Amino acid sequence: MTPQLSASIDAPATVGNHRRAISLLLFTVFSYVFLANAWLGDDSYITFRVVWNLLHGYGAVFNPGERVQAYTHPLWMLVITIAHAATREFFFTALAVCYGFSLAAVMVAARSLRSSAAASVMVLLLLSSKAFIDYTSSGLENPLSYLLLALFYVPFLARAGTSLTDADIRRLGLIAGLAFVNRMDSIALYALPLAWLAWREGRGVRARLRPLLAAFGVPVLCWLAFATWYYGFPLPNTYYAKVATGIPSSLLYRQGVAYVFNSVAYDPITLGTIALAAALALRAGTPFKLAAASCILYVVYTISVGGDFMSGRFFAAPFLVATLVVLHTARGADVYRWAAFGLVAYNVVMPLVPVKTTPSYQAGWAWQGQNGIKDERGYYHRMTNVLTYSPFRHLPDSTWVREGLSFREGPDKVTVQGSIGFYGLAAGPDKHILDRNALSDPLLARLAVSPALYFEFYSGHFFRDIPDGYLDTLTTGENHLTDEVLHAYYDRLREVLRGPLLSRSRLAAIWSLNAGKDRGIADRFESRRPIALSIRASNERFGTDTGDRDVVAGTIKSTGRPGFLQFGPGIPARKGTYRARWVGAVEGAAAGRIGFVDVWADGKRLARREVMLEEAVAERRQLAEIDFVLMDKVTDLEYRLWVDGTRSIILERVELLSQAASGAPPR
């Protein structure tokens, strides 16, 4: 055999071996980065408690005896249920399931490319995104969302410009429908391609709209029908908890913008890739334009709902789609070479990239900034990373787990918690966990947030005030709510949550709560609820021009210069009659003018009043007060104290009371 013929025979084998070696290397690198960054969050354990209850005969509920959909991701919940049924263990099972779906998504995406160089750049790009890698684990639904997006967009980008078979159309519709059931708001990433396919395939003599709509509609309608029948509501309780908040849209938009800036600051490659995909798609075909537009649409949606407290989480899915767009439109050996060089340099320079994560990761930023947008994976990493496992260390190694175990063995049946995942699973099914953030509580989820929320505003954590009598209601099983509007509403709500599934009264209550007179309970209760806020003067919502803060004591002390000792807080408020009050102490003379107080709403001054020391109420340490009326709801309410600097003043608290709470008409 001639050398030339031998070389021609050996060439395919050499190319095949080269590709297999690259694939093995990429698999190994991805697997290590996954393990180094692997974690499970408290929110995932909310779903785990539902799964445990379901498999032990209590139903798909968080608190047994109360049919509430406390999880956002039905399809993911079903996947975890099947896995846990096989292993009877949560921690390692959930991580294994996350790894399997994430790896499958990366493989589907990488194999859609024509060369090993392109696949290598894609994997390197995915590994460079903190948002993407952070949520390859976590126990949340992202890994399944990744796989569904890859299964949808790979054939859509490859074949949507050509003729699609009926099987192709059904497959794309079914994947989008399953994605909706996995997480409803993810439909924003599928809506534009689906609408274009429906328009294109619905025209002409051989219109094929029906297969697309049927494949999409079957899983969607089946789930919505089941949820409405079983839970009494078509949407998850988490939706109502985060939408029926009463928080002004303008504030949510501003918080959403902060979420964008947080991602740019700590993980710029994620949104940068989305922007690059949008630019490259301008010169590509319609499918690529629609894919890039879907990414932008999802970013806009994320901004509109105020982002989230988990940094980058809602940008991870559109980032994967954007990666597909970039790698399918930017081709060529030189492009791949420069892209690889740039990505390596990025990983060397940036401090928070996934490849630098070790089991002792402590690089997360201070989560109190930007209203609680935090490095969620960094927060839980030390207590849940699998590489820190040892035989005598139980993972997750969390205080909340130990507190839940203590509550499980205690005599109380009901407790109030703000983080209910680790705690709730450890507490067991005999205990009722009342979630202040309303994720698992059906009554609180339908009420507006506490007015005190704005003084400790953390994105995604919208706590409610617990109505009078509600704890007794949950403890005794009898309705002890003191507010007559809530009392009547809860009777119908309890019929839906606890009554026989097919009773006529329950079906009537479901209609009333979803489409009847009970739908507006939040507004009706909010108009009746008294407001009585007493906030430490050093709270971050209050500013000062002429004072020194003492965060430990909670006070602001005047410096002896004239000006505003306190201004703020710039919070929303409903219409009504109010009284603002300042509490503290004055050193020096017992009489005379020390300044004034005034009230501003949305940039307009509503009231001003001189502050005279002889009007102070010594027994309440009251320095001043002012009454005012809001003729309509406002988004920026400020009440301010101006001092002339002639006396030393220590401001301790600033209060806001509605007329019902203050017990007195305005002067």
Side-chain angles (χ1 to χ4, degrees):
M1 182 181 296
T2 65
Q4 293 85 351
L5 180 58
S6 177
S8 64
I9 294 175
D10 292 341
T14 302
V15 172
N17 290 334
H18 178 69
R19 289 179 176 175
R20 281 191 291 272
I22 292 178
S23 297
L24 179 60
L25 176 62
L26 295 177
F27 167 80
T28 302
V29 172
F30 175 82
S31 299
Y32 171 76
V33 173
F34 175 89
L35 288 173
N37 290 271
W39 64 288
L40 292 178
D42 185 74
D43 281 26
S44 67
Y45 274 71
I46 298 175
T47 302
F48 296 172
R49 176 170 158 118
V50 173
V51 169
W52 194 96
N53 287 335
L54 175 60
L55 292 177
H56 287 80
Y58 295 100
V61 300
F62 185 82
N63 287 310
E66 190 175 71
R67 290 186 294 267
V68 177
Q69 186 188 340
Y71 53 94
T72 308
H73 36 237
L75 187 59
W76 180 249
M77 190 275 288
L78 180 60
V79 169
I80 295 296
T81 299
I82 295 171
H84 182 70
T87 66
R88 297 292 168 170
E89 188 275 339
F90 277 117
F91 184 83
F92 292 101
T93 301
L95 287 177
V97 172
C98 287
Y99 173 72
F101 279 108
S102 297
L103 178 63
V106 173
M107 290 177 62
V108 170
R111 288 184 176 180
S112 69
L113 300 170
R114 296 180 179 180
S115 69
S116 298
S120 299
V121 170
M122 170 174 279
V123 173
L124 183 56
L125 179 57
L126 295 176
L127 292 177
S128 301
S129 168
K130 176 173 167 55
F132 180 80
I133 294 300
D134 276 0
Y135 295 97
T136 52
S137 54
S138 83
L140 299 173
E141 77 287 338
N142 289 65
L144 181 51
S145 294
Y146 293 163
L147 179 58
L148 292 171
L149 283 169
L151 291 173
F152 180 90
Y153 272 101
V154 165
F156 177 75
L157 295 176
R159 298 198 292 273
T162 61
S163 178
L164 294 172
T165 66
D166 286 350
D168 292 330
I169 294 173
R170 290 192 186 94
R171 188 179 301 112
L172 292 174
L174 178 62
I175 292 171
L178 292 175
F180 177 90
V181 177
N182 189 49
R183 184 179 176 92
M184 291 183 179
D185 59 9
S186 69
I187 194 62
L189 288 168
Y190 298 86
L192 296 179
L194 285 177
W196 181 69
L197 287 173
W199 172 79
R200 196 184 74 166
E201 301 299 331
R203 297 180 301 161
V205 178
R206 296 184 66 253
R208 297 184 297 172
L209 183 59
R210 186 178 300 174
L212 178 67
L213 295 180
F216 173 76
V218 167
V220 170
L221 295 178
C222 285
W223 172 254
L224 292 178
F226 172 79
T228 304
W229 168 72
Y230 185 74
Y231 294 111
F233 299 91
L235 304 178
N237 195 71
T238 51
Y239 164 83
Y240 301 100
K242 295 196 174 187
V243 170
T245 60
I247 299 173
S249 297
S250 59
L251 177 56
L252 292 178
Y253 290 141
R254 296 199 302 272
Q255 185 60 37
V257 172
Y259 190 70
V260 170
F261 286 141
N262 176 272
S263 180
V264 172
Y266 296 108
D267 184 29
I269 202 166
T270 297
L271 286 176
T273 301
I274 294 174
L276 177 61
L280 292 175
L282 293 176
R283 297 186 177 183
T286 299
F288 294 95
K289 289 183 173 66
L290 293 171
S294 297
C295 297
I296 299 298
L297 176 63
Y298 200 79
V299 171
V300 172
Y301 159 77
T302 301
I303 294 173
S304 71
V305 298
D308 190 50
F309 66 96
M310 301 185 193
S311 177
R313 179 189 175 192
F314 286 94
F315 297 147
F319 166 78
L320 176 60
V321 178
T323 299
L324 284 168
V325 172
V326 169
L327 268 297
H328 279 275
T329 53
R331 298 175 180 174
D334 289 339
V335 171
Y336 298 147
R337 188 178 300 111
W338 282 106
F341 175 80
L343 290 170
V344 170
Y346 175 86
N347 281 273
V348 170
V349 172
M350 291 298 295
L352 295 180
V353 288
V355 296
K356 292 182 178 178
T357 298
T358 66
S360 60
Y361 178 87
Q362 292 181 328
W365 55 89
W367 63 270
Q368 292 90 341
Q370 295 176 292
N371 297 324
I373 304 173
K374 64 181 180 179
D375 181 357
E376 185 78 347
R377 194 261 302 163
Y379 182 80
Y380 288 103
H381 193 85
R382 293 292 295 274
M383 65 182 81
T384 64
N385 181 247
V386 67
L387 296 183
T388 66
Y389 171 79
S390 66
F392 297 103
R393 186 182 186 220
H394 183 272
L395 297 177
D397 186 5
S398 170
T399 300
W400 294 330
V401 173
R402 295 184 282 276
E403 290 175 349
L405 291 173
S406 295
F407 178 60
R408 181 175 191 150
E409 301 304 323
D412 295 333
K413 294 296 183 182
V414 179
T415 188
V416 180
Q417 289 293 318
S419 298
I420 62 173
F422 294 157
Y423 187 101
L425 184 63
D430 296 330
K431 304 294 186 177
H432 189 105
I433 315 297
L434 174 55
D435 177 19
R436 288 190 72 202
N437 295 322
L439 298 178
S440 65
D441 190 89
L443 178 62
L444 298 186
R446 284 152 183 86
L447 303 181
V449 299
S450 169
L453 171 80
Y454 300 108
F455 293 91
E456 44 183 305
F457 186 83
Y458 294 137
S459 177
H461 291 98
F462 304 134
F463 65 82
R464 272 73 168 178
D465 290 327
I466 299 174
D468 292 340
Y470 192 39
L471 277 175
D472 289 340
T473 297
L474 296 176
T475 302
T476 64
E478 300 177 358
N479 191 344
H480 291 287
L481 288 162
T482 58
D483 184 272
E484 61 183 25
V485 170
L486 284 188
H487 189 100
Y489 178 84
Y490 188 72
D491 280 339
R492 290 182 287 277
L493 181 62
R494 185 165 55 178
E495 174 72 19
V496 171
L497 302 176
R498 302 174 183 267
L501 285 170
L502 295 176
S503 69
R504 296 183 64 180
S505 60
R506 180 176 184 268
L507 296 177
I510 289 175
W511 174 262
S512 178
L513 293 173
N514 285 281
K517 63 179 182 179
D518 290 316
R519 189 175 180 183
I521 182 62
D523 292 335
R524 286 160 50 205
F525 177 66
E526 180 66 10
S527 65
R528 303 163 53 88
R529 178 173 64 175
I531 294 176
L533 300 173
S534 182
I535 309 299
R536 285 158 57 108
S538 63
N539 185 279
E540 64 179 345
R541 293 291 174 266
F542 294 126
T544 182
D545 173 44
T546 62
D548 292 326
R549 294 179 187 271
D550 186 335
V551 177
V552 175
T555 61
I556 298 177
K557 184 176 182 179
S558 63
T559 60
R561 184 167 56 85
F564 280 108
L565 182 62
Q566 170 270 328
F567 57 88
I571 63 172
R574 68 172 190 251
K575 68 178 181 179
T577 302
Y578 293 88
R579 173 169 293 167
R581 181 181 294 157
W582 289 261
V583 177
V586 180
E587 297 177 2
R593 178 184 181 275
I594 63 171
F596 63 83
V597 291
D598 60 10
V599 178
W600 293 72
D602 291 341
K604 297 180 180 180
R605 191 174 73 190
L606 302 183
R608 172 172 287 188
R609 191 165 182 271
E610 298 291 313
V611 176
M612 308 297 293
L613 274 180
E614 51 265 35
E615 296 180 2
V617 182
E619 62 270 20
R620 293 193 311 215
R621 299 180 66 82
Q622 177 180 309
L623 298 176
E625 66 179 16
I626 187 171
D627 298 317
F628 61 96
V629 178
L630 298 179
M631 302 305 295
D632 202 352
K633 63 182 179 181
V634 299
T635 61
D636 185 1
L637 173 65
E638 285 197 56
Y639 29 99
R640 308 169 175 175
L641 170 62
W642 191 96
V643 297
D644 59 15
T646 59
R647 296 170 179 84
S648 177
I649 300 175
I650 298 178
L651 184 62
E652 298 169 357
R653 306 190 72 83
V654 186
E655 300 178 347
L656 179 68
L657 304 97
S658 62
Q659 182 176 358
S662 64
R667 285 192 289 266

